[in-house]
Amino acid sequence: MIKVYIKVNEQHEITEVGSSVFIDDITGWTYIDEGEGDKYAHAQNNYFDKPIMNEDGTYNYFYINGKVYER
């Protein structure tokens, strides 16, 4: 199983998403899910429906109390 991790800033915005395929040191990362396929292996571009950041530079997702929320 491939694990998906995120990084979150002080405003609870998700600033990065990655998978255990590419992350060697999970320090500073938060585990959110696991599975098989491109959605998990290439989580940077495939895990969420929208990009992490929109064209205005605003983050599209929050992580609060263990749950992901779309802006």
Side-chain angles (χ1 to χ4, degrees):
M1 292 299 234
I2 301 165
K3 296 180 180 180
V4 176
Y5 296 93
I6 57 171
K7 284 194 175 181
V8 179
N9 64 18
E10 292 178 3
Q11 291 77 36
H12 305 283
E13 297 167 317
I14 298 175
T15 60
E16 293 183 58
V17 61
S19 74
S20 56
V21 172
F22 299 103
I23 300 171
D24 293 325
D25 180 6
I26 61 169
T27 304
W29 291 86
T30 301
Y31 166 84
I32 60 166
D33 198 7
E34 66 182 52
E36 296 178 351
D38 282 347
K39 176 180 178 176
Y40 301 92
H42 300 285
Q44 299 84 347
N45 296 317
N46 297 315
Y47 189 77
F48 294 115
D49 291 335
K50 295 180 179 178
I52 293 299
M53 188 181 286
N54 68 25
E55 56 277 345
D56 295 330
T58 302
Y59 292 107
N60 285 320
Y61 297 95
F62 293 97
Y63 184 73
I64 302 170
N65 296 325
K67 293 188 178 191
V68 173
Y69 299 93
E70 187 175 331
R71 181 180 296 274

